[in-house]
Amino acid sequence: MGNQVIQISNEEMKNIMNHYATSKITRNAPGVIFAAKISDTAITAYKSGKVLFQGAGADREAARWGPVSPGGPLPATKKTTASISKGDKLPANFAELSVLGSDETGTGDFFGPVTVAACFVRADQIELVRELGVKDSKQLTDDAMRRIAPDLQATLIHSVLTLGNVKYNEVQQQGNSQGKIKALLHNQALKHVLRKMNGEKPDYILIDQFAQRGVYYNHLKLEPEIIRENVLLSTKAEGLHLSVAAASIIARVAFLEEMDRLSALAGITLPKGAGPRVDEVAARILLKSGTEALKSMTKWHFSNARKAQQIANKKRL
Ligand code: MG
């Protein structure tokens, strides 16, 4: 199936809407201002001035309106960054396939939960997802992610899991490593999305890699259902397929929302990461609200817990 995208002015947008007016269809996707379907082509126009043509007649229809990359792929479909990521070898044009991706957040932060999201982006949704502002999440600010996430959640089949601190500490103290906790959450999120997909199969599943394949599956060996089919693992996966980038954004926003809730409880904005500022804030909470309160909003096995206790003890003297 052909795909073409052109960028046009407001004036041209009016012409396009007039031209296809009799074939107009309703599409309630975010960012879409006009959509039409003719016998061999679907036309979707976005607020940004981009118009997407999909189908056998895509090249012909797009050529009516402006310069197109001849027979080429979508303009933003660049070569994957496989050269800098490590992991499984991905098929050619992986970025254009239907992929279920997963990623996690919060594992390096003393305060707040671990969150994992999995997200399915079908090939024909890739342009829309890009249009919604999804790109490598490392290039987006927290505020940008907060704006994008609701559209993604409304548009894409996804699952997001928040492992709160009380449960996290309990599971960790039972002897489960962070790697195992992550593996269990990824597997669970993927399972949820596959169930919601109702029998539709992704071309591939891509996990943003945090452990070697053998280690990952060893963590899961006692699980009743283990997702294995077409699973690829790669580091920096958010740059390899928009499904992982979208999952990363959804996971991040779930993390931020839980941090908002915990900050309100603590009466102070909880800092991210695990640096000296974190120790200071933790010590203040310790002095004000006690050990159990601090424990209930942190990953207690981090060395920050001890440092906070030392700082608090000095202040008590
Ligand atoms: Mg990751």
Side-chain angles (χ1 to χ4, degrees):
M1 183 176 86
N3 264 337
Q4 282 294 350
V5 180
I6 57 169
Q7 180 77 42
I8 55 163
S9 67
N10 284 341
E11 200 49 44
E12 288 168 316
M13 188 65 89
K14 280 182 209 144
N15 294 338
I16 284 188
M17 286 156 99
N18 284 336
H19 182 84
Y20 297 109
T22 54
S23 312
K24 188 174 181 320
I25 56 166
T26 306
R27 254 191 82 186
N28 286 322
V32 173
I33 53 170
F34 175 81
K37 179 98 182 70
I38 59 173
S39 62
D40 61 358
T41 312
I43 299 105
T44 313
Y46 295 92
K47 268 199 295 241
S48 62
K50 283 206 182 86
V51 184
L52 169 65
F53 299 85
Q54 291 171 294
D59 291 355
R60 181 197 67 234
E61 290 304 313
R64 291 175 189 277
W65 306 104
V68 297
S69 43
L74 300 178
T77 307
K78 300 200 189 76
K79 267 217 155 92
T80 65
T81 48
S83 54
I84 53 162
S85 57
K86 290 202 190 89
D88 291 326
K89 187 162 166 34
L90 306 182
N93 67 23
F94 183 81
E96 291 155 52
L97 301 176
S98 299
V99 172
L100 167 54
S102 64
D103 195 13
E104 83 284 332
T105 295
T107 52
D109 300 276
F110 180 53
F111 286 108
V114 170
T115 61
V116 172
C119 196
F120 178 52
V121 176
R122 207 183 296 115
D124 64 9
Q125 294 175 309
I126 289 171
E127 188 55 29
L128 167 66
V129 169
R130 189 176 287 124
E131 198 60 38
L132 292 174
V134 176
K135 48 186 157 188
D136 185 337
S137 53
K138 303 243 163 19
Q139 300 168 17
L140 292 170
T141 63
D142 285 349
D143 283 345
M145 290 196 253
R146 286 186 198 257
R147 282 194 301 273
I148 296 171
D151 283 343
L152 295 178
Q153 293 191 275
T155 308
L156 301 171
I157 304 177
H158 69 282
S159 166
V160 55
L161 304 171
T162 299
L163 181 64
N165 294 98
V166 173
K167 185 77 186 166
Y168 176 95
N169 289 330
E170 191 185 307
V171 174
Q172 196 276 331
Q173 278 157 20
Q174 285 164 0
N176 296 293
S177 68
Q178 216 187 47
K180 178 162 181 181
I181 293 170
K182 283 192 266 189
L184 292 169
L185 291 170
H186 274 264
N187 186 63
Q188 203 176 344
L190 294 171
K191 209 167 66 181
H192 288 166
V193 175
L194 287 169
R195 197 169 298 145
K196 289 185 200 173
M197 285 167 66
N198 258 331
E200 184 179 357
K201 292 259 174 108
D203 294 327
Y204 289 96
I205 293 172
L206 179 62
I207 299 173
D208 188 39
Q209 187 166 18
F210 53 88
Q212 292 301 316
R213 177 179 294 273
V215 174
Y216 175 77
Y217 281 108
N218 192 45
H219 286 319
L220 298 176
K221 64 181 180 225
L222 297 178
E223 286 300 285
E225 191 183 343
I226 304 171
I227 306 303
R228 292 180 184 278
E229 200 182 340
N230 290 330
V231 171
L232 299 172
L233 300 114
S234 179
T235 64
K236 300 192 169 76
E238 64 281 341
L240 301 176
H241 197 276
L242 286 179
S243 61
V244 180
S248 169
I249 291 167
I250 291 172
R252 180 72 183 167
V253 171
F255 173 81
L256 294 173
E257 284 171 353
E258 177 67 0
M259 285 290 267
D260 291 346
R261 194 184 71 82
L262 295 172
S263 294
L265 272 179
I268 182 169
T269 301
L270 300 179
K272 292 161 203 140
R277 169 84 188 134
V278 165
D279 301 334
E280 282 296 330
V281 170
R284 277 169 67 175
I285 295 169
L286 205 52
L287 290 168
K288 186 178 148 207
S289 312
T291 306
E292 279 312 304
L294 178 62
K295 193 174 171 182
S296 74
M297 52 185 73
T298 59
K299 300 179 187 79
W300 197 242
H301 64 109
F302 279 32
S303 62
N304 302 86
R306 258 100 54 212
K307 288 184 205 151
Q309 279 160 327
Q310 284 162 9
I311 295 169
N313 286 340
K314 273 187 206 151
K315 285 190 177 166
R316 280 198 193 95
L317 290 172

